[in-house]
C-alpha cells in the first residue's frame, strides 16, 4: 500500500495498523496518485493556531473504494501526552476508515501492541472501576466485548500482583538455547542439540560464570528476587548433572536475595527430554513448577511440526511429574498448527485437561520469519478454523475450573488473536505476569537474553541484550558484564 504523510512522521503507528488490518500488505512510501487501481492512504495531521487541538485525517483507498475519516483530539496537556494523543488520533482514524471500507472488526480493535491488557492494569491503578476499564477498551480502542472481558480478567490479575512488589524486587530468567530438534513454527534463538552438541558443555560453563557475576551484583545492589524462570529452548535438553551444576551455582550466587522468592519455574517442555533423574534434580533444588508442552496430542500434527515424541511420551512424562510431586505443572497448546483441525485441537485440549494440571497455556500460531512453516510453505488452518479452536478452548477451560491470568499478542498471529495463560485457583505463574505486564525488572542470563529494567514510578523501561547465539555469547563475556554493570547503575540512581 502506498503511504503519503503530511504534517507528521508517525510511520510506526501507521505501519503497525497497516500490518494488523491488511495482512500481507507492505508499506510503500511513494507519492499517491489517488487512483482506484491502487491501494493507498494519505495520512495528515494539523493543529489549530493556538495549539490546543489537533486533527488527523486519513484518506484510505482499498480495492477500488476510497473513504476519508477525520479524528479530532485535545492537545491541552503536557508535550509527552500530546505525542500519545497524536498517535492515538492517527491510529484511530486509520482504523475507522478501514472499518468503513471493509466492515471488518478485528478481535483486538485498533490495538497492535503485545500487551493489550496493560491498559486495564493502568486504569485500575489510576482508580478507575473495572467497568470503566473495560469500557475504555471497547469504546476508545474498538476491542470486541469478548476480548475486552478477557483483558479485564488478566489486567486485574496483574494489578493485584503489582501491589505485592517492592521497588527493589526483580525476576530472573536463565536461558538454555538448545532443543532436541527444531519445531516447524520456531524462530527462537535455539539450536538442535544434534547439530550443536559440542557447544552445550562450554555454554553451561559460560552461563555459570555469568550467573555468579550476576548474583554478586544483585547482592551488592540490595535487590530481592521474587521469581525465577529457566526457559529456552528446552532446559531439560541438558543432562541431570548439568542442571544440578547450574542450579547449585545459582543458589550459591544469589544467596539471601532468594529469601522472598515465590517460585522457580523450569520448562521441561519437550517430553522426549524428560527423565526421572532430571525431575529429581529439579525437585531437590526447590523447583516449584515445570512445563510439559505437547502443543498437540494428535500424532500426525506432531510429525508435521517436527516433533519426535508421541502422545504416549507426553502421558509418560506427566506420570513422572506426578510421581515427583511438583506443586504446579503447566501444559502448552498451540491453535493453528500445520495439519491440525478444530476437532483435533479440541481432542488435544480435552486430553490435557484429563491430566489435572493446574496451568494450561493456549497459544495462537504466530507465523515467524525463519520458521520452517514459512520457508517450506506448510499448510496451516485458516483464521476461521483457528477461531473455532479458541472458541472451543475458553468454555472448556472455564468449565474445568480455569480462569485467564495473563495474555499477550505477537505479530503475524493467525486471525489476529492472542496467547492466554489459564490457571486454577492458586496456580498462577507470577513470572509470566511480571514479564508480560512489565511490573518489575527482569535480569536475563544466557545467549539471546533480553534484560529489562523497569522503574514504574518514573515510567522508565530500559533494555540490554546479550549476544544472540551461543558461540558469540561464549566469546564475548565482556558484553554480559557490561549489561550487569548497567543493571546495577539503573538501581543506584533510583
Amino acid at each position: 500500500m502506498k503511504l503519503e504523510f503530511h504534517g507528521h512522521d508517525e510511520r510506526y503507528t501507521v505501519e503497525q495498523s497497516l500490518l494488523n488490518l491488511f495482512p500481507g500488505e507492505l508499506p510503500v512510501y511513494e507519492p499517491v496518485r489517488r487512483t482506484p487501481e491502487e491501494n493507498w492512504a494519505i495520512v495528515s495531521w494539523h493543529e489549530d493556531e493556538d495549539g490546543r487541538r489537533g486533527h488527523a485525517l486519513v484518506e484510505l483507498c482499498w480495492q477500488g473504494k476510497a473513504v476519508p475519516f477525520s479524528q479530532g483530539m485535545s492537545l491541552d496537556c503536557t508535550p509527552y501526552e500530546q505525542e500519545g494523543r497524536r498517535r492515538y488520533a492517527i491510529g484511530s482514524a486509520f482504523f475507522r476508515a478501514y472499518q468503513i471500507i471493509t466492515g471488518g472488526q478485528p478481535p483486538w480493535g485498533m490495538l497492535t501492541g503485545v500487551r493489550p491488557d496493560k491498559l486495564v492494569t493502568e486504569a485500575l491503578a489510576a482508580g478507575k472501576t473495572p467497568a470503566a476499564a473495560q469500557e475504555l477498551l471497547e469504546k476508545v480502542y474498538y476491542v470486541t466485548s469478548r476480548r475486552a472481558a478477557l483483558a479485564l480478567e488478566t489486567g486485574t490479575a496483574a494489578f493485584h500482583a503489582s501491589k505485592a512488589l517492592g521497588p527493589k524486587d526483580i525476576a530472573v530468567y536463565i536461558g538454555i538455547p538448545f532443543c532436541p530438534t527444531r519445531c516447524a513454527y520456531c524462530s527462537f534463538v535455539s539450536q538442535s542439540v544434534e547439530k550443536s552438541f559440542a557447544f552445550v558443555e562450554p555454554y553451561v560453563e559460560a552461563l555459570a560464570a555469568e550467573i555468579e557475576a550476576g548474583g554478586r551484583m544483585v547482592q551488592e545492589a540490595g535487590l530481592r528476587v521474587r521469581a525465577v524462570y529457566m526457559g529456552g529452548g528446552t532446559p531439560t535438553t541438558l543432562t541431570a548433572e548439568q542442571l544440578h551444576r547450574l542450579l547449585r551455582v545459582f543458589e550459591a550466587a544469589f544467596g539471601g536475595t532468594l529469601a522472598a522468592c515465590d517460585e522457580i519455574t523450569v520448562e521441561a517442555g519437550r517430553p522426549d527430554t524428560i527423565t526421572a533423574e532430571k525431575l529429581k534434580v529439579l525437585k531437590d533444588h526447590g523447583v516449584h513448577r515445570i512445563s510439559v508442552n505437547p502443543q498437540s496430542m494428535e500424532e500426525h500434527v506432531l510429525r508435521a511440526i517436527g516433533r519426535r515424541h508421541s502422545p504416549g511420551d507426553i502421558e509418560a512424562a506427566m506420570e513422572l511429574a506426578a510421581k515427583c510431586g511438583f506443586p504446579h505443572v503447566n501444559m502448552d497448546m498451540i491453535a493453528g498448527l500445520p495439519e491440525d483441525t478444530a476437532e483435533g485441537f479440541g481432542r488435544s485440549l480435552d486430553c490435557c485437561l484429563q491430566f489435572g494440571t493446574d496451568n494450561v497455556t493456549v497459544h495462537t500460531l504466530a507465523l515467524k520469519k525463519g520458521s520452517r512453516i514459512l520457508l517450506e510453505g506448510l499448510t496451516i488452518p485458516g483464521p476461521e478454523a483457528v477461531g473455532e479452536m479458541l472458541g472451543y478452548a475458553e468454555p472448556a477451560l472455564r468449565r474445568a475450573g480455569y480462569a485467564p491470568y495473563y495474555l499477550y499478542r505477537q505479530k503475524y498471529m493467525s486471525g489476529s488473536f492472542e496467547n492466554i495463560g489459564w490457571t486454577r485457583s492458586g496456580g498462577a505463574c507470577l513470572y509470566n505476569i511480571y514479564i508480560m505486564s512489565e511490573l518489575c525488572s527482569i535480569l536475563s542470563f544466557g545467549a539471546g537474553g533480553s534484560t529489562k529494567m523497569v522503574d514504574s514510578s518514573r515510567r522508565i523501561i530500559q533494555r540490554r541484550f546479550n549476544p544472540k547465539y551461543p558461540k558469540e555469547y561464549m566469546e564475548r563475556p565482556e558484553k554480559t558484564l557490561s549489561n550487569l554493570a548497567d543493571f546495577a547503575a539503573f538501581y543506584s540512581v533510583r
Side-chain angles (χ1 to χ4, degrees), residues 121 152 155 252 259 421:
T121 305
L152 178 62

Side-chain angles (χ1 to χ4, degrees), residues 45 104 119 165 167 337 346 419 449 494:
W45 173 260
L119 291 165
L165 290 171
L337 288 173
N419 306 315
R494 296 184 68 173

Side-chain angles (χ1 to χ4, degrees), residues 41-253:
I42 300 174
V43 185
S44 305
W45 173 260
H46 75 274
E47 298 176 9
D48 294 347
E49 290 185 5
D50 61 7
R52 300 183 64 180
R53 190 165 183 83
H55 306 270
L57 172 64
V58 172
E59 299 169 84
L60 179 65
C61 181
W62 175 252
Q63 295 182 349
K65 184 178 180 181
V67 300
F69 192 90
S70 61
Q71 174 78 54
M73 181 61 59
S74 168
L75 298 178
D76 192 12
C77 53
T78 67
Y80 175 81
E81 291 171 325
Q82 287 176 2
E83 288 185 19
R85 293 186 181 188
R86 181 179 66 246
R87 285 193 293 270
Y88 170 79
I90 289 171
S92 175
F94 194 96
F95 180 82
R96 293 292 290 121
Y98 153 84
Q99 279 197 314
I100 293 170
I101 285 181
T102 69
Q105 174 56 61
W108 288 100
M110 64 175 282
L111 295 178
T112 61
V114 173
R115 303 169 179 84
D117 63 345
K118 195 171 181 180
L119 291 165
V120 171
T121 305
E122 292 174 346
L124 295 175
K128 293 186 181 296
T129 66
Q134 182 168 341
E135 184 178 19
L136 172 72
L137 292 179
E138 294 182 22
K139 303 300 184 184
V140 177
Y141 294 99
Y142 314 109
V143 177
T144 65
S145 58
R146 179 179 171 188
R147 257 58 193 187
L150 278 173
L152 178 62
E153 290 183 89
T154 59
T156 300
F159 172 64
H160 291 308
S162 69
K163 294 192 290 186
L165 290 171
K168 287 201 168 185
D169 286 349
I170 68 170
V172 170
Y173 179 84
I174 302 172
I176 309 297
F178 302 103
C179 283
T181 59
R182 191 175 182 86
C183 294
Y185 53 80
C186 182
S187 67
F188 288 140
V189 181
S190 59
Q191 301 191 12
S192 165
V193 167
E194 295 173 319
K195 297 180 179 179
S196 57
F197 180 79
F199 285 142
V200 177
E201 180 57 29
Y203 178 83
V204 169
E205 290 299 318
L207 180 57
E210 187 192 8
I211 289 172
E212 287 179 333
R216 289 193 296 272
M217 179 273 293
V218 166
Q219 296 209 55
E220 291 169 2
L223 305 179
R224 187 169 69 160
V225 177
R226 298 298 303 274
V228 180
Y229 195 101
M230 183 183 287
T234 305
T236 43
T237 302
L238 302 183
T239 66
E241 189 278 330
Q242 289 166 336
L243 287 168
H244 167 65
R245 197 186 331 157
L246 281 178
L247 290 168
R248 183 180 59 195
V249 167
F250 176 76
E251 292 161 355

Side-chain angles (χ1 to χ4, degrees), residues 251-293:
E251 292 161 355
F254 280 79
T257 68
L258 298 172
C261 184
D262 297 308
E263 63 179 29
I264 301 175
T265 300
V266 174
E267 285 189 2
R270 300 279 288 266
D272 45 339
T273 68
I274 297 173
T275 66
E277 183 183 14
K278 293 177 186 179
L279 293 185
K280 184 178 185 304
V281 167
L282 300 183
K283 192 69 166 56
D284 288 347
H285 281 281
V287 171
H288 303 89
R289 180 192 315 271
I290 63 170
S291 290
V292 180
N293 301 334

Side-chain angles (χ1 to χ4, degrees), residues 281-422:
V281 167
L282 300 183
K283 192 69 166 56
D284 288 347
H285 281 281
V287 171
H288 303 89
R289 180 192 315 271
I290 63 170
S291 290
V292 180
N293 301 334
Q295 316 302 13
S296 173
M297 295 294 287
E298 299 278 285
E299 183 86 44
H300 68 286
V301 176
L302 294 174
R303 298 285 79 76
I305 64 175
R307 294 248 174 157
R308 293 183 177 175
H309 61 79
S310 67
D313 294 329
I314 297 166
E315 294 174 9
M318 291 300 291
E319 289 177 6
L320 283 176
K323 288 179 182 178
C324 285
F326 287 97
H328 307 290
V329 178
N330 175 73
M331 300 187 81
D332 277 12
M333 300 289 300
I334 299 180
L337 288 173
E339 308 300 331
D340 207 358
T341 63
E343 294 76 18
F345 177 85
R347 287 192 295 269
S348 293
L349 179 60
D350 290 343
C351 187
C352 287
L353 295 181
Q354 291 176 9
F355 292 120
T357 177
D358 64 353
N359 265 241
V360 176
T361 306
V362 179
H363 298 271
T364 300
L365 178 68
L367 299 175
K368 301 176 181 178
K369 296 178 181 178
S371 69
R372 193 158 56 83
I373 288 178
L374 290 185
L375 293 175
E376 299 180 10
L378 302 183
T379 302
I380 59 173
E384 289 187 4
V386 174
E388 287 184 48
M389 295 175 186
L390 299 179
Y392 179 85
E394 181 177 348
L397 286 159
R398 290 191 187 278
R399 285 194 301 269
Y402 297 83
Y405 75 98
Y406 81 99
L407 70 81
Y408 67 102
R409 302 180 67 218
Q410 295 168 277
K411 292 181 181 179
Y412 315 118
M413 299 188 81
S414 295
S416 192
F417 291 113
E418 68 287 314
N419 306 315
I420 300 180
W422 296 82

